[in-house]
Amino acid sequence: DTGVSQDPRHKITKRGQNVTFRCDPISEHNRLYWYRQTLGQGPEFLTYFQNEAQLEKSRLLSDRFSAERPKGSFSTLEIQRTEQGDSAMYLCASSLTSEVNTEAFFGQGTRLTVV
Amino acid sequence: AQSVTQLDSQVPVFEEAPVELRCNYSSSVSVYLFWYVQYPNQGLQLLLKYLSGSTLVKGINGFEAEFNKSQTSFHLRKPSVHISDTAEYFCAVLKGNFNKFYFGSGTKLNVKP
């Protein structure tokens, strides 16, 4: 399968703990996005990378959140000192920028539950 | 500001009946438009997209959508739904600088036998 993969699929953590999620994009895609989706809402943009450069971060991304994409391949999203409000589905997507823009391909997401 | 409005949070429909899921967007610049489907505990799968050209776009699973610039709408339609179409559908726009997608709040389609 050459789609976007995310790990883990589910994570339950205690409030105050740190968590890290991983995303492996489609190999030739240069853009990688992180979105957050809460119950009953559409995905909300968190941040995106063009190759290894993090070009934009949403105001939703507090100081407790950090994302990296070393070498422009896989990406990690870390949440420090988790809070119950962080409980959500975290979606990763990748795309290939071109003259004719294409859609973003999404992974299956990581569902985070903070107890 | 960019926004996408999906007017119906839930749409119940009987199997084999037609369905329309509504989407309106606000933008002062050109946008690209998309419909994604999400099955329970899954990521988003692209149904169809409008980039340019013909305003009637056909996608997978028998879905189609029509771009209406004057009404800033991109409604999704299917002439005859199946039980397997039960899912949540999201309309999304991509602005001219292609930085990020803006999603609507979603419409849950519930197909009844």
Side-chain angles (χ1 to χ4, degrees), chain A residues 9 31 33 35 37 40 42-43 45 48 56 91 100-101 103-104 106-108, chain B residues 32 36 38 41-44 46 49 51 90 94 98-101 103-104:
Chain A
R9 291 289 310 279
R31 282 201 175 180
Y33 306 82
Y35 281 81
Q37 185 179 20
F45 171 80
Y48 92 95
E56 188 170 347
L91 295 167
V100 179
N101 202 51
E103 72 273 17
F106 284 80
Q108 293 187 312
Chain B
Y32 292 167
Y36 282 86
Q38 186 176 36
N41 297 314
Q42 299 292 318
L44 279 72
L46 181 73
K49 61 184 177 184
L51 304 181
F90 292 94
L94 186 64
F98 313 139
N99 282 349
K100 53 185 175 280
F101 293 79
F103 287 88

PDB file of all heavy atoms in Angstrom, chain A residues 9 31 33 35 37 40 42-43 45 48 56 91 100-101 103-104 106-108, chain B residues 32 36 38 41-44 46 49 51 90 94 98-101 103-104:
ATOM      1  N   ARG A   9      -2.808   4.211  15.409  1.00  0.00           N
ATOM      2  CA  ARG A   9      -4.176   4.520  14.995  1.00  0.00           C
ATOM      3  C   ARG A   9      -4.966   5.068  16.182  1.00  0.00           C
ATOM      4  O   ARG A   9      -5.857   5.895  16.016  1.00  0.00           O
ATOM      5  CB  ARG A   9      -4.859   3.273  14.452  1.00  0.00           C
ATOM      6  CG  ARG A   9      -4.309   2.767  13.129  1.00  0.00           C
ATOM      7  CD  ARG A   9      -4.682   3.721  11.971  1.00  0.00           C
ATOM      8  NE  ARG A   9      -6.095   4.059  11.947  1.00  0.00           N
ATOM      9  CZ  ARG A   9      -7.048   3.289  11.435  1.00  0.00           C
ATOM     10  NH1 ARG A   9      -6.732   2.116  10.920  1.00  0.00           N
ATOM     11  NH2 ARG A   9      -8.310   3.690  11.446  1.00  0.00           N
ATOM     12  N   ARG A  31       4.523  18.046  -0.146  1.00  0.00           N
ATOM     13  CA  ARG A  31       3.779  18.766   0.891  1.00  0.00           C
ATOM     14  C   ARG A  31       3.160  17.783   1.875  1.00  0.00           C
ATOM     15  O   ARG A  31       2.642  16.740   1.487  1.00  0.00           O
ATOM     16  CB  ARG A  31       2.682  19.633   0.279  1.00  0.00           C
ATOM     17  CG  ARG A  31       3.235  20.897  -0.311  1.00  0.00           C
ATOM     18  CD  ARG A  31       2.180  21.951  -0.461  1.00  0.00           C
ATOM     19  NE  ARG A  31       2.789  23.192  -0.912  1.00  0.00           N
ATOM     20  CZ  ARG A  31       2.123  24.305  -1.132  1.00  0.00           C
ATOM     21  NH1 ARG A  31       0.817  24.318  -0.945  1.00  0.00           N
ATOM     22  NH2 ARG A  31       2.742  25.388  -1.523  1.00  0.00           N
ATOM     23  N   TYR A  33       0.633  17.849   5.442  1.00  0.00           N
ATOM     24  CA  TYR A  33      -0.271  18.648   6.273  1.00  0.00           C
ATOM     25  C   TYR A  33      -0.652  17.862   7.526  1.00  0.00           C
ATOM     26  O   TYR A  33      -0.787  16.646   7.496  1.00  0.00           O
ATOM     27  CB  TYR A  33      -1.576  18.947   5.525  1.00  0.00           C
ATOM     28  CG  TYR A  33      -1.447  19.594   4.171  1.00  0.00           C
ATOM     29  CD1 TYR A  33      -1.183  18.842   3.037  1.00  0.00           C
ATOM     30  CD2 TYR A  33      -1.650  20.970   4.015  1.00  0.00           C
ATOM     31  CE1 TYR A  33      -1.100  19.420   1.784  1.00  0.00           C
ATOM     32  CE2 TYR A  33      -1.573  21.560   2.762  1.00  0.00           C
ATOM     33  CZ  TYR A  33      -1.295  20.776   1.653  1.00  0.00           C
ATOM     34  OH  TYR A  33      -1.220  21.361   0.415  1.00  0.00           O
ATOM     35  N   TYR A  35      -3.870  18.009  10.281  1.00  0.00           N
ATOM     36  CA  TYR A  35      -5.184  18.554  10.600  1.00  0.00           C
ATOM     37  C   TYR A  35      -5.670  17.907  11.892  1.00  0.00           C
ATOM     38  O   TYR A  35      -5.283  16.798  12.234  1.00  0.00           O
ATOM     39  CB  TYR A  35      -6.200  18.240   9.496  1.00  0.00           C
ATOM     40  CG  TYR A  35      -6.103  19.129   8.278  1.00  0.00           C
ATOM     41  CD1 TYR A  35      -5.153  18.899   7.297  1.00  0.00           C
ATOM     42  CD2 TYR A  35      -6.970  20.203   8.130  1.00  0.00           C
ATOM     43  CE1 TYR A  35      -5.063  19.717   6.187  1.00  0.00           C
ATOM     44  CE2 TYR A  35      -6.890  21.032   7.023  1.00  0.00           C
ATOM     45  CZ  TYR A  35      -5.938  20.784   6.051  1.00  0.00           C
ATOM     46  OH  TYR A  35      -5.854  21.598   4.959  1.00  0.00           O
ATOM     47  N   GLN A  37      -9.352  16.974  13.893  1.00  0.00           N
ATOM     48  CA  GLN A  37     -10.802  16.858  13.706  1.00  0.00           C
ATOM     49  C   GLN A  37     -11.448  16.446  15.018  1.00  0.00           C
ATOM     50  O   GLN A  37     -11.142  15.394  15.569  1.00  0.00           O
ATOM     51  CB  GLN A  37     -11.119  15.827  12.623  1.00  0.00           C
ATOM     52  CG  GLN A  37     -12.597  15.733  12.279  1.00  0.00           C
ATOM     53  CD  GLN A  37     -12.873  14.714  11.198  1.00  0.00           C
ATOM     54  OE1 GLN A  37     -12.085  13.824  10.929  1.00  0.00           O
ATOM     55  NE2 GLN A  37     -14.033  14.837  10.547  1.00  0.00           N
ATOM     56  N   GLY A  40     -18.022  15.963  15.262  1.00  0.00           N
ATOM     57  CA  GLY A  40     -19.035  16.820  14.669  1.00  0.00           C
ATOM     58  C   GLY A  40     -18.497  17.993  13.881  1.00  0.00           C
ATOM     59  O   GLY A  40     -19.267  18.858  13.450  1.00  0.00           O
ATOM     60  N   GLY A  42     -15.518  19.514  10.859  1.00  0.00           N
ATOM     61  CA  GLY A  42     -14.610  19.179   9.784  1.00  0.00           C
ATOM     62  C   GLY A  42     -13.172  19.333  10.238  1.00  0.00           C
ATOM     63  O   GLY A  42     -12.900  19.920  11.284  1.00  0.00           O
ATOM     64  N   PRO A  43     -12.251  18.789   9.472  1.00  0.00           N
ATOM     65  CA  PRO A  43     -10.831  18.936   9.832  1.00  0.00           C
ATOM     66  C   PRO A  43     -10.405  20.402   9.880  1.00  0.00           C
ATOM     67  O   PRO A  43     -10.798  21.195   9.027  1.00  0.00           O
ATOM     68  CB  PRO A  43     -10.120  18.187   8.702  1.00  0.00           C
ATOM     69  CG  PRO A  43     -11.133  17.238   8.149  1.00  0.00           C
ATOM     70  CD  PRO A  43     -12.437  17.961   8.271  1.00  0.00           C
ATOM     71  N   PHE A  45      -7.078  22.966  10.013  1.00  0.00           N
ATOM     72  CA  PHE A  45      -5.665  23.027   9.662  1.00  0.00           C
ATOM     73  C   PHE A  45      -4.806  23.323  10.882  1.00  0.00           C
ATOM     74  O   PHE A  45      -5.120  24.207  11.679  1.00  0.00           O
ATOM     75  CB  PHE A  45      -5.475  24.121   8.611  1.00  0.00           C
ATOM     76  CG  PHE A  45      -4.041  24.445   8.292  1.00  0.00           C
ATOM     77  CD1 PHE A  45      -3.316  23.650   7.433  1.00  0.00           C
ATOM     78  CD2 PHE A  45      -3.423  25.546   8.866  1.00  0.00           C
ATOM     79  CE1 PHE A  45      -1.991  23.950   7.137  1.00  0.00           C
ATOM     80  CE2 PHE A  45      -2.106  25.856   8.581  1.00  0.00           C
ATOM     81  CZ  PHE A  45      -1.389  25.055   7.712  1.00  0.00           C
ATOM     82  N   TYR A  48       1.643  22.927   7.942  1.00  0.00           N
ATOM     83  CA  TYR A  48       2.060  22.181   6.764  1.00  0.00           C
ATOM     84  C   TYR A  48       3.531  22.401   6.468  1.00  0.00           C
ATOM     85  O   TYR A  48       4.142  23.408   6.878  1.00  0.00           O
ATOM     86  CB  TYR A  48       1.180  22.496   5.554  1.00  0.00           C
ATOM     87  CG  TYR A  48       1.649  23.618   4.643  1.00  0.00           C
ATOM     88  CD1 TYR A  48       2.389  23.357   3.502  1.00  0.00           C
ATOM     89  CD2 TYR A  48       1.302  24.932   4.922  1.00  0.00           C
ATOM     90  CE1 TYR A  48       2.781  24.377   2.664  1.00  0.00           C
ATOM     91  CE2 TYR A  48       1.698  25.956   4.088  1.00  0.00           C
ATOM     92  CZ  TYR A  48       2.433  25.681   2.954  1.00  0.00           C
ATOM     93  OH  TYR A  48       2.836  26.699   2.124  1.00  0.00           O
ATOM     94  N   GLU A  56       3.823  27.099   7.528  1.00  0.00           N
ATOM     95  CA  GLU A  56       2.710  27.782   8.158  1.00  0.00           C
ATOM     96  C   GLU A  56       2.211  26.987   9.349  1.00  0.00           C
ATOM     97  O   GLU A  56       2.192  25.760   9.323  1.00  0.00           O
ATOM     98  CB  GLU A  56       1.566  27.985   7.162  1.00  0.00           C
ATOM     99  CG  GLU A  56       0.443  28.870   7.688  1.00  0.00           C
ATOM    100  CD  GLU A  56      -0.552  29.265   6.612  1.00  0.00           C
ATOM    101  OE1 GLU A  56      -0.268  29.077   5.418  1.00  0.00           O
ATOM    102  OE2 GLU A  56      -1.632  29.768   6.998  1.00  0.00           O
ATOM    103  N   LEU A  91      -5.223  14.076  11.747  1.00  0.00           N
ATOM    104  CA  LEU A  91      -5.120  13.591  10.374  1.00  0.00           C
ATOM    105  C   LEU A  91      -3.877  14.160   9.696  1.00  0.00           C
ATOM    106  O   LEU A  91      -3.582  15.346   9.836  1.00  0.00           O
ATOM    107  CB  LEU A  91      -6.353  14.002   9.566  1.00  0.00           C
ATOM    108  CG  LEU A  91      -7.687  13.398   9.990  1.00  0.00           C
ATOM    109  CD1 LEU A  91      -8.840  14.129   9.333  1.00  0.00           C
ATOM    110  CD2 LEU A  91      -7.734  11.919   9.616  1.00  0.00           C
ATOM    111  N   VAL A 100      -0.802  22.007 -12.228  1.00  0.00           N
ATOM    112  CA  VAL A 100      -2.202  21.645 -12.056  1.00  0.00           C
ATOM    113  C   VAL A 100      -2.315  21.043 -10.671  1.00  0.00           C
ATOM    114  O   VAL A 100      -1.917  19.916 -10.437  1.00  0.00           O
ATOM    115  CB  VAL A 100      -2.677  20.633 -13.116  1.00  0.00           C
ATOM    116  CG1 VAL A 100      -4.138  20.280 -12.879  1.00  0.00           C
ATOM    117  CG2 VAL A 100      -2.478  21.211 -14.497  1.00  0.00           C
ATOM    118  N   ASN A 101      -2.818  21.818  -9.779  1.00  0.00           N
ATOM    119  CA  ASN A 101      -2.797  21.374  -8.385  1.00  0.00           C
ATOM    120  C   ASN A 101      -3.644  20.142  -8.160  1.00  0.00           C
ATOM    121  O   ASN A 101      -4.706  19.989  -8.729  1.00  0.00           O
ATOM    122  CB  ASN A 101      -3.292  22.494  -7.491  1.00  0.00           C
ATOM    123  CG  ASN A 101      -2.815  22.313  -6.080  1.00  0.00           C
ATOM    124  OD1 ASN A 101      -1.640  22.124  -5.844  1.00  0.00           O
ATOM    125  ND2 ASN A 101      -3.728  22.341  -5.138  1.00  0.00           N
ATOM    126  N   GLU A 103      -5.201  17.038  -5.383  1.00  0.00           N
ATOM    127  CA  GLU A 103      -5.827  16.947  -4.074  1.00  0.00           C
ATOM    128  C   GLU A 103      -4.837  16.450  -3.037  1.00  0.00           C
ATOM    129  O   GLU A 103      -3.763  15.969  -3.358  1.00  0.00           O
ATOM    130  CB  GLU A 103      -7.022  15.998  -4.124  1.00  0.00           C
ATOM    131  CG  GLU A 103      -6.656  14.527  -4.263  1.00  0.00           C
ATOM    132  CD  GLU A 103      -6.479  14.081  -5.706  1.00  0.00           C
ATOM    133  OE1 GLU A 103      -6.314  14.941  -6.588  1.00  0.00           O
ATOM    134  OE2 GLU A 103      -6.496  12.867  -5.932  1.00  0.00           O
ATOM    135  N   ALA A 104      -5.216  16.580  -1.790  1.00  0.00           N
ATOM    136  CA  ALA A 104      -4.456  16.012  -0.694  1.00  0.00           C
ATOM    137  C   ALA A 104      -4.959  14.600  -0.422  1.00  0.00           C
ATOM    138  O   ALA A 104      -6.150  14.339  -0.469  1.00  0.00           O
ATOM    139  CB  ALA A 104      -4.613  16.870   0.560  1.00  0.00           C
ATOM    140  N   PHE A 106      -5.252  11.689   2.311  1.00  0.00           N
ATOM    141  CA  PHE A 106      -5.280  11.610   3.761  1.00  0.00           C
ATOM    142  C   PHE A 106      -4.951  10.225   4.278  1.00  0.00           C
ATOM    143  O   PHE A 106      -5.306   9.210   3.656  1.00  0.00           O
ATOM    144  CB  PHE A 106      -6.661  12.015   4.295  1.00  0.00           C
ATOM    145  CG  PHE A 106      -6.903  13.492   4.272  1.00  0.00           C
ATOM    146  CD1 PHE A 106      -7.279  14.140   3.110  1.00  0.00           C
ATOM    147  CD2 PHE A 106      -6.729  14.252   5.427  1.00  0.00           C
ATOM    148  CE1 PHE A 106      -7.491  15.509   3.092  1.00  0.00           C
ATOM    149  CE2 PHE A 106      -6.937  15.618   5.416  1.00  0.00           C
ATOM    150  CZ  PHE A 106      -7.315  16.253   4.256  1.00  0.00           C
ATOM    151  N   GLY A 107      -4.318  10.204   5.437  1.00  0.00           N
ATOM    152  CA  GLY A 107      -4.143   8.966   6.172  1.00  0.00           C
ATOM    153  C   GLY A 107      -5.406   8.641   6.960  1.00  0.00           C
ATOM    154  O   GLY A 107      -6.382   9.391   6.931  1.00  0.00           O
ATOM    155  N   GLN A 108      -5.363   7.518   7.674  1.00  0.00           N
ATOM    156  CA  GLN A 108      -6.548   7.090   8.421  1.00  0.00           C
ATOM    157  C   GLN A 108      -6.666   7.774   9.775  1.00  0.00           C
ATOM    158  O   GLN A 108      -7.668   7.621  10.449  1.00  0.00           O
ATOM    159  CB  GLN A 108      -6.527   5.576   8.576  1.00  0.00           C
ATOM    160  CG  GLN A 108      -6.712   4.844   7.244  1.00  0.00           C
ATOM    161  CD  GLN A 108      -6.854   3.354   7.431  1.00  0.00           C
ATOM    162  OE1 GLN A 108      -6.070   2.728   8.141  1.00  0.00           O
ATOM    163  NE2 GLN A 108      -7.858   2.763   6.806  1.00  0.00           N
TER     164      GLN A 108
ATOM    165  N   TYR B  32     -10.215  26.253  -5.721  1.00  0.00           N
ATOM    166  CA  TYR B  32     -10.435  24.895  -6.191  1.00  0.00           C
ATOM    167  C   TYR B  32     -11.370  24.233  -5.176  1.00  0.00           C
ATOM    168  O   TYR B  32     -11.269  24.500  -3.971  1.00  0.00           O
ATOM    169  CB  TYR B  32      -9.117  24.119  -6.271  1.00  0.00           C
ATOM    170  CG  TYR B  32      -8.164  24.615  -7.332  1.00  0.00           C
ATOM    171  CD1 TYR B  32      -6.838  24.199  -7.341  1.00  0.00           C
ATOM    172  CD2 TYR B  32      -8.561  25.500  -8.323  1.00  0.00           C
ATOM    173  CE1 TYR B  32      -5.952  24.630  -8.307  1.00  0.00           C
ATOM    174  CE2 TYR B  32      -7.685  25.946  -9.294  1.00  0.00           C
ATOM    175  CZ  TYR B  32      -6.380  25.516  -9.284  1.00  0.00           C
ATOM    176  OH  TYR B  32      -5.498  25.956 -10.232  1.00  0.00           O
ATOM    177  N   TYR B  36     -14.938  15.337  -0.136  1.00  0.00           N
ATOM    178  CA  TYR B  36     -14.324  14.150   0.464  1.00  0.00           C
ATOM    179  C   TYR B  36     -15.394  13.369   1.216  1.00  0.00           C
ATOM    180  O   TYR B  36     -16.350  13.943   1.726  1.00  0.00           O
ATOM    181  CB  TYR B  36     -13.226  14.547   1.457  1.00  0.00           C
ATOM    182  CG  TYR B  36     -11.907  14.961   0.850  1.00  0.00           C
ATOM    183  CD1 TYR B  36     -11.686  16.267   0.449  1.00  0.00           C
ATOM    184  CD2 TYR B  36     -10.879  14.035   0.684  1.00  0.00           C
ATOM    185  CE1 TYR B  36     -10.464  16.645  -0.104  1.00  0.00           C
ATOM    186  CE2 TYR B  36      -9.653  14.402   0.138  1.00  0.00           C
ATOM    187  CZ  TYR B  36      -9.456  15.712  -0.256  1.00  0.00           C
ATOM    188  OH  TYR B  36      -8.241  16.087  -0.791  1.00  0.00           O
ATOM    189  N   GLN B  38     -15.903  10.425   4.373  1.00  0.00           N
ATOM    190  CA  GLN B  38     -15.227   9.806   5.521  1.00  0.00           C
ATOM    191  C   GLN B  38     -16.121   8.730   6.098  1.00  0.00           C
ATOM    192  O   GLN B  38     -17.230   9.018   6.570  1.00  0.00           O
ATOM    193  CB  GLN B  38     -14.903  10.858   6.584  1.00  0.00           C
ATOM    194  CG  GLN B  38     -14.072  10.317   7.734  1.00  0.00           C
ATOM    195  CD  GLN B  38     -13.686  11.397   8.727  1.00  0.00           C
ATOM    196  OE1 GLN B  38     -14.457  12.318   8.990  1.00  0.00           O
ATOM    197  NE2 GLN B  38     -12.474  11.305   9.286  1.00  0.00           N
ATOM    198  N   ASN B  41     -14.254   6.055  11.617  1.00  0.00           N
ATOM    199  CA  ASN B  41     -12.894   5.762  12.050  1.00  0.00           C
ATOM    200  C   ASN B  41     -11.907   5.628  10.889  1.00  0.00           C
ATOM    201  O   ASN B  41     -10.907   4.908  10.989  1.00  0.00           O
ATOM    202  CB  ASN B  41     -12.863   4.489  12.904  1.00  0.00           C
ATOM    203  CG  ASN B  41     -13.667   4.656  14.170  1.00  0.00           C
ATOM    204  OD1 ASN B  41     -13.541   5.670  14.851  1.00  0.00           O
ATOM    205  ND2 ASN B  41     -14.518   3.705  14.475  1.00  0.00           N
ATOM    206  N   GLN B  42     -12.178   6.325   9.817  1.00  0.00           N
ATOM    207  CA  GLN B  42     -11.287   6.312   8.662  1.00  0.00           C
ATOM    208  C   GLN B  42     -10.847   7.729   8.325  1.00  0.00           C
ATOM    209  O   GLN B  42     -11.417   8.713   8.824  1.00  0.00           O
ATOM    210  CB  GLN B  42     -11.989   5.702   7.446  1.00  0.00           C
ATOM    211  CG  GLN B  42     -12.433   4.265   7.643  1.00  0.00           C
ATOM    212  CD  GLN B  42     -11.260   3.313   7.761  1.00  0.00           C
ATOM    213  OE1 GLN B  42     -10.277   3.426   7.029  1.00  0.00           O
ATOM    214  NE2 GLN B  42     -11.353   2.391   8.701  1.00  0.00           N
ATOM    215  N   GLY B  43      -9.850   7.836   7.474  1.00  0.00           N
ATOM    216  CA  GLY B  43      -9.451   9.141   6.958  1.00  0.00           C
ATOM    217  C   GLY B  43     -10.404   9.588   5.869  1.00  0.00           C
ATOM    218  O   GLY B  43     -11.462   8.995   5.669  1.00  0.00           O
ATOM    219  N   LEU B  44     -10.022  10.644   5.183  1.00  0.00           N
ATOM    220  CA  LEU B  44     -10.870  11.206   4.137  1.00  0.00           C
ATOM    221  C   LEU B  44     -10.453  10.672   2.776  1.00  0.00           C
ATOM    222  O   LEU B  44      -9.273  10.566   2.469  1.00  0.00           O
ATOM    223  CB  LEU B  44     -10.759  12.736   4.136  1.00  0.00           C
ATOM    224  CG  LEU B  44     -11.587  13.479   5.173  1.00  0.00           C
ATOM    225  CD1 LEU B  44     -11.021  13.295   6.555  1.00  0.00           C
ATOM    226  CD2 LEU B  44     -11.665  14.953   4.837  1.00  0.00           C
ATOM    227  N   LEU B  46     -11.068  11.193  -1.419  1.00  0.00           N
ATOM    228  CA  LEU B  46     -11.559  12.149  -2.394  1.00  0.00           C
ATOM    229  C   LEU B  46     -12.665  11.543  -3.239  1.00  0.00           C
ATOM    230  O   LEU B  46     -12.537  10.442  -3.775  1.00  0.00           O
ATOM    231  CB  LEU B  46     -10.421  12.591  -3.308  1.00  0.00           C
ATOM    232  CG  LEU B  46     -10.822  13.613  -4.368  1.00  0.00           C
ATOM    233  CD1 LEU B  46     -11.056  14.976  -3.718  1.00  0.00           C
ATOM    234  CD2 LEU B  46      -9.746  13.737  -5.444  1.00  0.00           C
ATOM    235  N   LYS B  49     -13.330  16.615  -7.637  1.00  0.00           N
ATOM    236  CA  LYS B  49     -12.729  17.931  -7.481  1.00  0.00           C
ATOM    237  C   LYS B  49     -13.046  18.786  -8.700  1.00  0.00           C
ATOM    238  O   LYS B  49     -13.241  18.274  -9.811  1.00  0.00           O
ATOM    239  CB  LYS B  49     -11.210  17.816  -7.315  1.00  0.00           C
ATOM    240  CG  LYS B  49     -10.505  17.168  -8.497  1.00  0.00           C
ATOM    241  CD  LYS B  49      -9.019  16.985  -8.223  1.00  0.00           C
ATOM    242  CE  LYS B  49      -8.340  16.254  -9.390  1.00  0.00           C
ATOM    243  NZ  LYS B  49      -6.901  15.980  -9.110  1.00  0.00           N
ATOM    244  N   LEU B  51     -11.300  21.959 -10.651  1.00  0.00           N
ATOM    245  CA  LEU B  51     -10.147  22.839 -10.787  1.00  0.00           C
ATOM    246  C   LEU B  51     -10.436  23.944 -11.800  1.00  0.00           C
ATOM    247  O   LEU B  51     -10.146  25.122 -11.567  1.00  0.00           O
ATOM    248  CB  LEU B  51      -8.904  22.043 -11.205  1.00  0.00           C
ATOM    249  CG  LEU B  51      -8.511  20.867 -10.291  1.00  0.00           C
ATOM    250  CD1 LEU B  51      -7.248  20.179 -10.804  1.00  0.00           C
ATOM    251  CD2 LEU B  51      -8.302  21.333  -8.863  1.00  0.00           C
ATOM    252  N   PHE B  90     -17.600  15.806   3.323  1.00  0.00           N
ATOM    253  CA  PHE B  90     -17.020  17.108   3.598  1.00  0.00           C
ATOM    254  C   PHE B  90     -16.721  17.843   2.304  1.00  0.00           C
ATOM    255  O   PHE B  90     -16.098  17.291   1.397  1.00  0.00           O
ATOM    256  CB  PHE B  90     -15.713  16.975   4.393  1.00  0.00           C
ATOM    257  CG  PHE B  90     -15.902  16.474   5.791  1.00  0.00           C
ATOM    258  CD1 PHE B  90     -15.788  15.124   6.081  1.00  0.00           C
ATOM    259  CD2 PHE B  90     -16.214  17.356   6.819  1.00  0.00           C
ATOM    260  CE1 PHE B  90     -15.964  14.657   7.371  1.00  0.00           C
ATOM    261  CE2 PHE B  90     -16.392  16.894   8.109  1.00  0.00           C
ATOM    262  CZ  PHE B  90     -16.275  15.544   8.385  1.00  0.00           C
ATOM    263  N   LEU B  94      -9.690  25.027  -1.719  1.00  0.00           N
ATOM    264  CA  LEU B  94      -8.257  25.291  -1.727  1.00  0.00           C
ATOM    265  C   LEU B  94      -8.078  26.620  -2.425  1.00  0.00           C
ATOM    266  O   LEU B  94      -8.465  26.782  -3.579  1.00  0.00           O
ATOM    267  CB  LEU B  94      -7.522  24.183  -2.473  1.00  0.00           C
ATOM    268  CG  LEU B  94      -5.993  24.210  -2.465  1.00  0.00           C
ATOM    269  CD1 LEU B  94      -5.459  24.017  -1.057  1.00  0.00           C
ATOM    270  CD2 LEU B  94      -5.446  23.135  -3.385  1.00  0.00           C
ATOM    271  N   PHE B  98      -2.749  27.816  -2.666  1.00  0.00           N
ATOM    272  CA  PHE B  98      -2.614  26.369  -2.451  1.00  0.00           C
ATOM    273  C   PHE B  98      -1.993  25.993  -1.113  1.00  0.00           C
ATOM    274  O   PHE B  98      -1.369  24.951  -0.995  1.00  0.00           O
ATOM    275  CB  PHE B  98      -1.788  25.728  -3.565  1.00  0.00           C
ATOM    276  CG  PHE B  98      -2.191  26.146  -4.943  1.00  0.00           C
ATOM    277  CD1 PHE B  98      -1.260  26.410  -5.907  1.00  0.00           C
ATOM    278  CD2 PHE B  98      -3.539  26.304  -5.266  1.00  0.00           C
ATOM    279  CE1 PHE B  98      -1.627  26.803  -7.177  1.00  0.00           C
ATOM    280  CE2 PHE B  98      -3.923  26.699  -6.535  1.00  0.00           C
ATOM    281  CZ  PHE B  98      -2.957  26.949  -7.493  1.00  0.00           C
ATOM    282  N   ASN B  99      -2.131  26.850  -0.125  1.00  0.00           N
ATOM    283  CA  ASN B  99      -1.468  26.548   1.132  1.00  0.00           C
ATOM    284  C   ASN B  99      -2.191  25.538   1.983  1.00  0.00           C
ATOM    285  O   ASN B  99      -1.567  24.705   2.627  1.00  0.00           O
ATOM    286  CB  ASN B  99      -1.281  27.829   1.941  1.00  0.00           C
ATOM    287  CG  ASN B  99      -0.130  28.662   1.427  1.00  0.00           C
ATOM    288  OD1 ASN B  99       0.644  28.198   0.603  1.00  0.00           O
ATOM    289  ND2 ASN B  99      -0.033  29.870   1.891  1.00  0.00           N
ATOM    290  N   LYS B 100      -3.499  25.630   2.028  1.00  0.00           N
ATOM    291  CA  LYS B 100      -4.219  24.713   2.893  1.00  0.00           C
ATOM    292  C   LYS B 100      -5.662  24.592   2.444  1.00  0.00           C
ATOM    293  O   LYS B 100      -6.205  25.459   1.772  1.00  0.00           O
ATOM    294  CB  LYS B 100      -4.173  25.188   4.342  1.00  0.00           C
ATOM    295  CG  LYS B 100      -4.627  26.608   4.580  1.00  0.00           C
ATOM    296  CD  LYS B 100      -4.404  26.983   6.033  1.00  0.00           C
ATOM    297  CE  LYS B 100      -4.720  28.433   6.291  1.00  0.00           C
ATOM    298  NZ  LYS B 100      -3.614  29.310   5.877  1.00  0.00           N
ATOM    299  N   PHE B 101      -6.248  23.494   2.876  1.00  0.00           N
ATOM    300  CA  PHE B 101      -7.644  23.237   2.597  1.00  0.00           C
ATOM    301  C   PHE B 101      -8.503  23.756   3.745  1.00  0.00           C
ATOM    302  O   PHE B 101      -8.144  23.641   4.911  1.00  0.00           O
ATOM    303  CB  PHE B 101      -7.874  21.721   2.450  1.00  0.00           C
ATOM    304  CG  PHE B 101      -7.221  21.110   1.256  1.00  0.00           C
ATOM    305  CD1 PHE B 101      -5.856  20.812   1.270  1.00  0.00           C
ATOM    306  CD2 PHE B 101      -7.941  20.837   0.109  1.00  0.00           C
ATOM    307  CE1 PHE B 101      -5.240  20.252   0.165  1.00  0.00           C
ATOM    308  CE2 PHE B 101      -7.338  20.274  -0.996  1.00  0.00           C
ATOM    309  CZ  PHE B 101      -5.986  19.983  -0.974  1.00  0.00           C
ATOM    310  N   PHE B 103     -12.220  23.177   5.306  1.00  0.00           N
ATOM    311  CA  PHE B 103     -13.301  22.198   5.268  1.00  0.00           C
ATOM    312  C   PHE B 103     -14.581  22.745   5.875  1.00  0.00           C
ATOM    313  O   PHE B 103     -14.554  23.538   6.819  1.00  0.00           O
ATOM    314  CB  PHE B 103     -12.901  20.940   6.049  1.00  0.00           C
ATOM    315  CG  PHE B 103     -11.882  20.088   5.346  1.00  0.00           C
ATOM    316  CD1 PHE B 103     -10.537  20.324   5.504  1.00  0.00           C
ATOM    317  CD2 PHE B 103     -12.289  19.044   4.534  1.00  0.00           C
ATOM    318  CE1 PHE B 103      -9.591  19.530   4.855  1.00  0.00           C
ATOM    319  CE2 PHE B 103     -11.358  18.240   3.883  1.00  0.00           C
ATOM    320  CZ  PHE B 103     -10.008  18.490   4.048  1.00  0.00           C
ATOM    321  N   GLY B 104     -15.702  22.269   5.351  1.00  0.00           N
ATOM    322  CA  GLY B 104     -16.971  22.516   6.000  1.00  0.00           C
ATOM    323  C   GLY B 104     -17.123  21.602   7.204  1.00  0.00           C
ATOM    324  O   GLY B 104     -16.267  20.753   7.478  1.00  0.00           O
TER     325      GLY B 104
END
